[in-house]
Amino acid sequence: MAEQWQIARKEFRGFFASPAAFLFLGAFLAVCLFVVFWVEGFFARNIADVRPLFKWMPVLMIFLVAALTMRSWSEEQRAGTLESLLTSPVKPLHLIFGKFLAVLGLVALALLLTLPLPITVSFIGPLDWGPVIGGYVASLFLAAAYIAIGLYMSSRTDNAIVALILTVLLCGVFYLIGSPGLTNLFGYETGDVLRDIGTGSRFDSITRGVLDLRDLYYYLSLVGIFLALNLLRLQRLRWAGNPSTKVHQGWRRLTALVVVNLIAANLWLAPISWARIDMTQGQQYTLSAASKHYLNRLQQPLVIRGYFSSKTHPLLEPLVPQIKDLLAEYAEDSNNKVRVEFVDPQKDQKAAQQAASRYGIQPISFETASKYSAGVMSSYFNIVVSYGDQYKVLGYKDLIEVKGRGDHIDVALKNPEYAITSAIRRVMNKWQNGGSPFAAIKGPVTFHGYISANSTLPPQMQALRHQLDKVLQDLKESAAGKLSADFQNPEADGGKLAEQLHKQFGFTPQVMGLTRRRPFWFYMTLQSGDNTVQVPLPHKLGEAALKKSITSALQRLAPGFMKTVALAAPEHGYMQRGGNSYNELRQVLSKNMQVENANLASGQVPQNADFLLVMAPAHLDNKAVFAIDQFLMRGGSVMVATSPYQVDISRTLTAHPNTSGLEAWLASQGIKIEHNMVLDPQNAALPLPTERNVGGVMLRQMQMLPYPYFPDLRAKGLAEHNPVTASLNQLTLNWASPIDLDNSKTKGRQVSELLKSSSGSWTSTSLNMIPNFRENPNTGFRIDGTPKPRTLAVAETGRFTSFFKGKDSPLTANDDAKAAETAKGKNPKAAQQPGIGGVINHSPDSARLIVVASNGFASDTAVQLISQGINTLYTKPFDFVQNSIDWSLEDPALLSLRGRTHLARTLDGMPVKQQEFWEYLNYGLVVIGLLLVWLWRRQSRRRDQLRYQQILAKV
């Protein structure tokens, strides 16, 4: 080994005997930076990664290695020194390894000089170091394979230029074999084989951040094959001109045996998918504990069927093998409960008919273009998750994300594990919803009825009490002995139980209408172990509504049942003044849970709701506030997105004061939203109207500009230890107001400041949202006051006190008017069911309230604006809402998976001058790196000269 290192050291120093090494290193680094900042448009791309560097590395490495290896053996042959080397005591194998290590060391030095690029990226964005490490490892292994090829080609000729051309041609063939341009000419099965042979496709697999034994061995096998051929070539040069002997034949057979075994080992390793290391943050390419959790809950076989065409769009084709590998993991980790199938409907007519008739799957038309022609290609790119009689179809929009930059398009898998696992959860929950909730509840369930004596109840409530017995009897028949009922009169024994209920649940006596002032008790709860769920009285009294209310409460007790979100949001169109629509949010939420529209004007939240989502409330009356308040008091979870301003973008950006009706209620819970808006120097870019003077004519045009009213929240701006924000990495909030917390009113509750602006943020009361860069060239807006962080969203958990404590229920407020109308015969239906007055004074400790101080948060308008700024669909607001729901309902399984998309890691918002600084800094660091290498080699030469002088002096 020492002999090989000596040879490698001599060869490595030989590279720097002339300026050639510095020319090669400088050219390589210059091309790398040119590709990153100019060809790929690093800052326009706006993604915190160095994928553009490694995207071009297989091509750049071909020319670098070919230039470094072209003289390795050809120069020895041309100068006539090869015969001396082959007849020296040094073994040919040691010579080969010495030259191989020398070139590999120089390539490693070149890669080391590119390291400042990812380091600087880590300062300006949430860089995932897993793919970076994978990229450098892949580059070294790829370089090793190319070096082995280059050394062999150099041994075939005594002309260095011919050796360079031969190396470029052969390395280029290996690269092109697995490229989309070639694999797209075949089906994905043949394409898979070609990708397994191609050096570029294997390289892409490692640069994802996954070190797969199969990929690493592939490169090592190429190294072994061509070094073995190189050794055979040197042996043949040694016996050139001599007659063939058994020794010569033995060398040929041994080389053939080595080559065949190295190739065969690739085939043997092909089915081994577990021998790999996922280095990505959060292990994005390894089946997570959340997915395994749902696989363990499967009660019957689940089928995942992939519908992929053999020929598809070139940008989609490389993604199919990644999906297949992921689905194979689902099958392996499911204990034979998951069956994975792949179907090509274009080759199987029966499968195409089934896909269309049963699942509604149709081929998607993609536009394609080549150098000579353009056309339309129809292909399938779908996954169907089927469980029992339930199924969920995932299309390409669910599986991929696209980022457009002019003529450049980046296509990557969006978050396939999240999409597939959430589909599994949805079909499981829907299948389970068709069964009895008692099957999912472990242990007995007790129904507690805290109801007054029958003589005390109003006539309508007496009828409801009778219907309750009938409903409970029906439920007991399907409960398999798990349900029992316990009725108690809170007014008995001097009202001791009433005091206990008030202390534990906040229950107070009820009245039916203001004209019927005799109080009564009619409260219901369900208890299973330590879990207690309140059963709300239905809005319309009756047996069917009562049974639905109790069943909904049972489903909240049962794990795994699909949750229901009550969404109270305006229905305004996109271009209506002051309006926000939430169609995208509804669609996203509907993928994992049931979504019901909540009409808060009735004074009640839908009785089957598990979570109440109130978006952009405006002019809520007392009944609506009461509905929100009492839902929270029953232990529910409420999320409110509101602020004192509504922004109109129909013609120009202007703000209007907004009255939500929740101001006093929020203040009673210790949350005050200030009447101003937050501006942050760390912000997102948006298309804004600007004026430009062209030949004396003022033209209005849209331009991407930094927009301080859209704070870009990262790092300290996201609560690190709260599950809602821990996995988000980044969130852009629109037109938000600061939140002021009253610690005296939040005392006793856990309060988490979920979102905070940067330390440089300030506030403004101006209603003009258009920046003026003439008067304020840095930010477009005047900076008022002292910059400091502002709280933009909070989450509270614990016992809340009702805003209506000590007040009459708003549900009975109009009973006197109804009674008068009934007496006059104007409205005979008005008295049929008076409102039931009763206020729950406080909530249990499990109640949760989340407030986001933005009136357009997660609206279609805001999402579309931010998406235009980053050139891809922006889903972080939806991730925030879904995380809030899962956290509130204590269903955290998908929290770790949501928001892990590759294109979601955007760069920090910064002005153009700062972007130029980071770009020029990289240029400067490369020059400094080359200078340090020059000083290192200069110092090494001086040490060598001193050592030689000492040796000569001794002689």
Side-chain angles (χ1 to χ4, degrees):
M1 195 67 184
E3 190 174 72
Q4 297 175 35
W5 282 115
Q6 288 294 332
I7 297 171
R9 184 180 179 186
K10 171 188 171 297
E11 292 287 335
F12 186 82
R13 291 182 175 184
F15 286 120
F16 293 95
S18 67
F22 290 101
L23 291 176
F24 290 146
L25 290 176
F28 173 75
L29 296 172
V31 172
C32 285
L33 292 181
F34 176 77
V35 164
V36 171
F37 290 108
W38 292 85
V39 177
E40 293 293 328
F42 176 77
F43 288 105
R45 185 170 174 266
N46 196 34
I47 302 178
D49 65 9
V50 288
R51 190 175 292 266
L53 171 66
F54 297 118
K55 175 183 177 181
W56 288 83
M57 190 62 70
V59 176
L60 297 179
M61 198 64 70
I62 292 176
F63 296 96
L64 176 65
V65 170
L68 295 176
T69 59
M70 66 181 182
R71 300 174 67 248
S72 297
W73 294 115
S74 60
E75 188 67 21
E76 302 281 5
Q77 296 182 65
R78 188 189 63 81
T81 57
L82 183 59
E83 290 80 0
S84 300
L85 289 175
L86 295 180
T87 56
S88 66
V90 181
K91 296 180 179 179
L93 185 61
H94 291 179
L95 289 171
I96 294 172
F97 272 113
K99 289 181 177 290
F100 174 81
L101 292 174
V103 181
L104 185 62
L106 191 58
V107 172
L109 178 61
L111 292 174
L112 181 64
L113 293 175
T114 66
L115 193 58
L117 179 61
I119 292 176
T120 55
V121 172
S122 67
F123 285 104
I124 58 178
L127 177 67
D128 185 352
W129 279 96
V132 177
I133 296 173
Y136 280 110
V137 171
S139 298
L140 283 175
F141 276 81
L142 176 68
Y146 285 169
I147 291 169
I149 295 173
L151 289 176
Y152 173 66
M153 288 304 175
S154 181
S155 70
R156 300 288 303 180
T157 178
D158 61 357
N159 189 310
I161 300 301
V162 173
L164 183 145
I165 295 174
L166 291 175
T167 302
V168 169
L169 288 177
L170 186 56
C171 293
V173 167
F174 273 102
Y175 171 75
L176 292 174
I177 285 177
S179 65
L182 183 62
T183 57
N184 194 48
L185 300 176
F186 306 92
Y188 65 80
E189 295 179 354
T190 305
D192 285 347
V193 176
L194 295 176
R195 276 186 288 269
D196 289 341
I197 301 175
T199 54
S201 53
R202 293 277 191 172
F203 184 88
D204 293 339
S205 179
I206 302 177
T207 54
R208 293 182 301 152
V210 179
L211 295 183
D212 195 314
L213 176 63
R214 296 170 294 181
D215 296 327
L216 299 180
Y217 176 78
Y218 164 77
Y219 290 117
L220 292 178
S221 66
L222 287 180
V223 172
I225 290 171
F226 284 97
L227 290 185
L229 293 175
N230 195 350
L231 179 59
L232 177 62
R233 175 62 181 173
L234 294 183
Q235 292 296 342
R236 294 184 64 179
L237 289 175
R238 291 181 66 181
W239 68 62
N242 296 323
S244 178
T245 65
K246 292 184 178 179
V247 175
H248 302 165
Q249 295 177 3
W251 271 105
R252 294 188 183 96
R253 291 170 183 169
L254 178 61
T255 303
L257 183 63
V258 169
V259 170
V260 170
N261 278 277
L262 289 172
I263 295 174
N266 282 285
L267 302 176
W268 179 74
L269 289 172
I272 300 177
S273 59
W274 51 266
R276 64 176 196 162
I277 301 174
D278 188 347
M279 300 183 298
T280 58
Q281 185 176 348
Q283 295 190 319
Q284 297 185 27
Y285 299 101
T286 301
L287 210 59
S288 65
S291 298
K292 295 177 181 178
H293 164 74
Y294 288 111
L295 293 179
N296 291 332
R297 284 178 45 197
L298 292 173
Q299 300 178 19
Q300 62 178 6
L302 180 139
V303 179
I304 304 179
R305 187 176 291 110
Y307 290 91
F308 298 105
S309 299
S310 57
K311 292 184 179 181
T312 187
H313 195 281
L315 295 177
L316 296 180
E317 183 188 8
L319 307 181
V320 178
Q322 298 179 30
I323 295 177
K324 292 175 67 175
D325 289 343
L326 178 62
L327 294 182
E329 288 195 47
Y330 277 92
E332 291 176 4
D333 293 335
S334 66
N335 295 323
N336 298 322
K337 292 181 180 178
V338 174
R339 187 174 78 252
V340 176
E341 302 173 354
F342 292 96
V343 180
D344 183 357
Q346 291 181 332
K347 292 183 178 180
D348 188 339
Q349 189 64 30
K350 184 177 180 181
Q353 293 176 356
Q354 182 190 39
S357 60
R358 183 173 182 182
Y359 304 120
I361 297 177
Q362 297 290 342
I364 306 297
S365 297
F366 299 102
E367 293 185 6
T368 60
S370 64
K371 182 179 179 181
Y372 301 104
S373 63
V376 178
M377 173 185 293
S378 296
S379 62
Y380 290 85
F381 199 92
N382 303 89
I383 292 177
V384 175
V385 179
S386 177
Y387 187 70
D389 59 347
Q390 302 294 329
Y391 65 88
K392 173 65 177 176
V393 178
L394 300 175
Y396 76 98
K397 291 184 179 179
D398 301 306
L399 298 172
I400 69 170
E401 57 182 343
V402 180
K403 184 177 180 66
R405 297 175 295 110
D407 295 334
H408 297 275
I409 297 178
D410 290 328
V411 178
L413 286 180
K414 188 174 186 179
N415 194 346
E417 185 185 357
Y418 171 73
I420 296 170
T421 299
S422 60
I424 292 175
R425 184 178 78 162
R426 179 177 176 82
V427 296
M428 285 176 57
N429 291 345
K430 289 186 70 175
W431 179 81
Q432 197 164 344
N433 279 0
S436 171
F438 293 103
I441 300 176
K442 296 181 180 179
V445 179
T446 303
F447 173 90
H448 293 282
Y450 305 107
I451 303 175
S452 298
N454 205 46
S455 58
T456 308
L457 296 174
Q460 294 93 332
M461 303 308 295
Q462 293 179 15
L464 188 67
R465 175 66 180 84
H466 176 72
Q467 293 167 348
L468 176 60
D469 290 334
K470 189 174 181 181
V471 169
L472 290 175
Q473 184 60 39
D474 293 341
L475 290 174
K476 286 181 179 179
E477 294 178 359
S478 61
K482 288 186 177 181
L483 178 63
S484 60
D486 176 41
F487 289 93
Q488 300 180 67
N489 185 357
E491 298 170 315
D493 298 330
K496 292 182 179 180
L497 179 58
E499 294 180 4
Q500 180 182 346
L501 292 175
H502 181 268
K503 183 177 181 181
Q504 182 178 0
F505 299 111
F507 292 164
T508 59
Q510 299 154 292
V511 295
M512 178 164 280
L514 292 177
T515 58
R516 301 172 177 84
R517 301 303 300 171
R518 185 176 182 180
F520 63 91
W521 290 75
F522 205 111
Y523 291 98
M524 301 171 287
T525 66
L526 286 169
Q527 181 180 4
S528 177
D530 296 332
N531 297 325
T532 300
V533 175
Q534 297 182 27
V535 182
L537 279 173
H539 182 53
K540 294 183 178 181
L541 303 181
E543 182 178 340
L546 183 61
K547 185 173 183 178
K548 182 180 179 181
S549 184
I550 297 175
T551 302
S552 299
L554 281 170
Q555 291 180 353
R556 287 195 288 275
L557 272 179
F561 270 76
M562 181 172 287
K563 305 302 181 182
T564 300
V565 174
L567 176 59
E571 299 293 336
H572 297 292
Y574 171 71
M575 297 302 293
Q576 289 184 7
R577 177 176 177 175
N580 288 304
S581 60
Y582 293 86
N583 298 323
E584 290 287 344
L585 178 62
R586 281 189 176 91
Q587 292 178 10
V588 170
L589 294 180
S590 298
K591 293 179 180 179
N592 295 314
M593 55 201 73
Q594 297 181 17
V595 180
E596 285 196 11
N597 292 328
N599 181 17
L600 300 180
S602 65
Q604 288 190 338
V605 176
Q607 58 194 29
N608 61 332
D610 301 291
F611 187 92
L612 176 59
L613 183 58
V614 183
M615 308 299 290
H619 306 290
L620 297 182
D621 59 15
N622 219 24
K623 280 190 175 183
V625 177
F626 182 75
I628 299 172
D629 178 271
Q630 291 299 285
F631 183 81
L632 184 66
M633 296 307 117
R634 288 197 295 270
S637 298
V638 179
M639 179 176 180
V640 179
T642 182
S643 83
Y645 298 95
Q646 175 66 51
V647 177
D648 174 24
I649 68 166
S650 57
R651 295 183 180 179
T652 183
L653 288 174
T654 55
H656 308 277
N658 175 70
T659 301
S660 66
L662 292 175
E663 291 83 1
W665 181 77
L666 288 174
S668 71
Q669 308 303 336
I671 300 174
K672 180 183 178 181
I673 302 178
E674 299 180 12
H675 285 261
N676 49 51
M677 280 189 278
V678 175
L679 296 89
D680 199 325
Q682 179 178 302
N683 54 68
L686 292 179
L688 296 172
T690 59
E691 292 185 352
R692 188 162 61 99
N693 191 327
V694 179
V697 179
M698 298 300 296
L699 299 179
R700 289 181 63 87
Q701 62 181 12
M702 301 301 291
Q703 185 177 355
M704 299 302 302
L705 296 172
Y707 192 55
Y709 279 105
F710 275 38
D712 185 356
L713 310 178
R714 303 167 184 260
K716 295 182 180 180
L718 303 174
E720 181 181 0
H721 301 293
N722 193 292
V724 175
T725 52
S727 62
L728 281 182
N729 295 320
Q730 184 272 342
L731 178 67
T732 299
L733 202 60
N734 58 296
W735 298 301
S737 299
I739 294 177
D740 184 21
L741 294 173
D742 188 340
N743 294 329
S744 62
K745 295 182 179 179
T746 61
K747 187 177 181 180
R749 296 196 293 268
Q750 296 179 4
V751 180
S752 176
E753 296 180 351
L754 297 178
L755 305 177
K756 298 185 73 173
S757 61
S758 72
S759 58
S761 61
W762 72 98
T763 60
S764 173
T765 57
S766 173
L767 300 181
N768 182 13
M769 302 288 102
I770 299 179
N772 187 337
F773 288 98
R774 293 181 180 177
E775 297 182 2
N776 305 282
N778 293 328
T779 62
F781 296 93
R782 187 177 64 184
I783 300 178
D784 295 326
T786 303
K788 64 178 182 179
R790 263 78 176 184
T791 302
L792 305 178
V794 298
E796 296 187 20
T797 304
R799 176 169 292 195
F800 295 83
T801 301
S802 174
F803 176 70
F804 295 89
K805 181 179 179 180
K807 304 176 183 177
D808 289 331
S809 168
L811 300 183
T812 61
N814 296 325
D815 277 7
D816 288 336
K818 290 180 181 179
E821 290 180 0
T822 303
K824 294 179 181 180
K826 294 182 178 180
N827 189 4
K829 295 183 178 180
Q832 287 183 4
Q833 183 180 308
I836 299 176
V839 177
I840 302 176
N841 284 341
H842 64 76
S843 73
D845 294 336
S846 60
R848 295 182 178 181
L849 173 63
I850 302 170
V851 177
V852 181
S854 170
N855 216 38
F857 175 69
S859 67
D860 296 341
T861 301
V863 170
Q864 290 173 16
L865 283 174
I866 302 173
S867 298
Q868 291 178 33
I870 63 175
N871 295 317
T872 188
L873 180 61
Y874 188 72
T875 60
K876 290 293 185 179
F878 305 148
D879 295 338
F880 180 89
V881 174
Q882 291 181 97
N883 285 352
S884 301
I885 295 172
D886 289 344
W887 171 70
S888 300
L889 302 182
E890 297 182 349
D891 188 10
L894 292 180
L895 283 172
S896 59
L897 294 179
R898 194 175 289 120
R900 298 197 312 179
T901 63
H902 163 67
L903 299 182
R905 292 179 174 271
T906 57
L907 298 172
D908 296 342
M910 64 185 78
V912 175
K913 290 184 178 179
Q914 192 173 351
Q915 294 176 355
E916 293 175 348
F917 165 77
W918 288 107
E919 181 180 351
Y920 295 142
L921 176 63
N922 276 278
Y923 299 152
L925 291 174
V926 164
V927 175
I928 293 173
L930 289 173
L931 180 61
L932 291 175
V933 172
W934 178 79
L935 292 174
W936 167 48
R937 296 317 308 164
R938 186 168 179 267
Q939 186 66 23
S940 297
R941 284 195 300 271
R942 285 184 176 180
R943 287 198 303 266
D944 291 341
Q945 290 175 357
L946 290 174
R947 184 164 56 87
Y948 295 150
Q949 290 175 2
Q950 292 174 359
I951 294 174
L952 292 174
K954 291 179 181 180
V955 174

